[in-house]
Amino acid sequence: MANYVADGKIVCLSDTLSLLDGTLVDSSADSGTWTYVHGQTKMPAGLVRGLEGLQEGEHVRLALAPQDAFGELDRSAFHQLPKDHFPASALYVGHSSEVAGPEGSVIAFRIHEIHDDTVTINLNHPLAGEQVVFDVTVVHVQD
């Protein structure tokens, strides 16, 4: 009986993530295969749907719109904070870091703009608003 991707199964993937224009974002060739529990691990909804039912050894190429990948760009996720809240070494556009959030959560942010007295941070996922392409091979599926 073939093992196939379904809710609750442990899945190992080999994948490449790129932007629609071909710009490489991540590859298991560099970071190693990815193992997760299907349907229980937070991942893009379009990727979950696209993998459902695939068998070991099968490959799929999924071009995902932002809403099916990492979400649309949310303008309300941009916030201005006083510039003196940041160390000088972190004051550059693109700097990313994390801060403690409510109930032990971690909130990731990137510096979007730097003004005279304030810094605009972006709390969106780094790939929010982007069309992305996942090239995925199912390496192994386990109950």
Side-chain angles (χ1 to χ4, degrees), residues 79-92 95 97 99 109-111 113 117-121:
H79 300 277
Q80 286 198 352
L81 299 173
K83 193 173 186 177
D84 62 8
H85 280 65
F86 298 86
S89 62
L91 284 174
Y92 60 91
H95 171 78
S97 189
V99 294
F109 71 89
R110 282 178 327 290
I111 292 181
E113 292 178 328
D117 297 322
T118 61
V119 172
T120 303
I121 62 168

Side-chain angles (χ1 to χ4, degrees), residues 35-80:
T35 302
Y36 72 101
V37 179
H38 193 76
Q40 298 175 20
T41 301
K42 186 174 180 175
M43 53 194 278
L47 180 58
V48 173
R49 287 190 305 271
L51 295 173
E52 193 78 28
L54 293 181
Q55 296 181 9
E56 288 181 4
E58 285 192 299
H59 173 267
V60 67
R61 183 174 193 271
L62 303 168
L64 302 179
Q67 64 271 19
D68 294 322
F70 299 97
E72 298 286 352
L73 194 63
D74 179 2
R75 286 284 165 208
S76 70
F78 289 82
H79 300 277
Q80 286 198 352

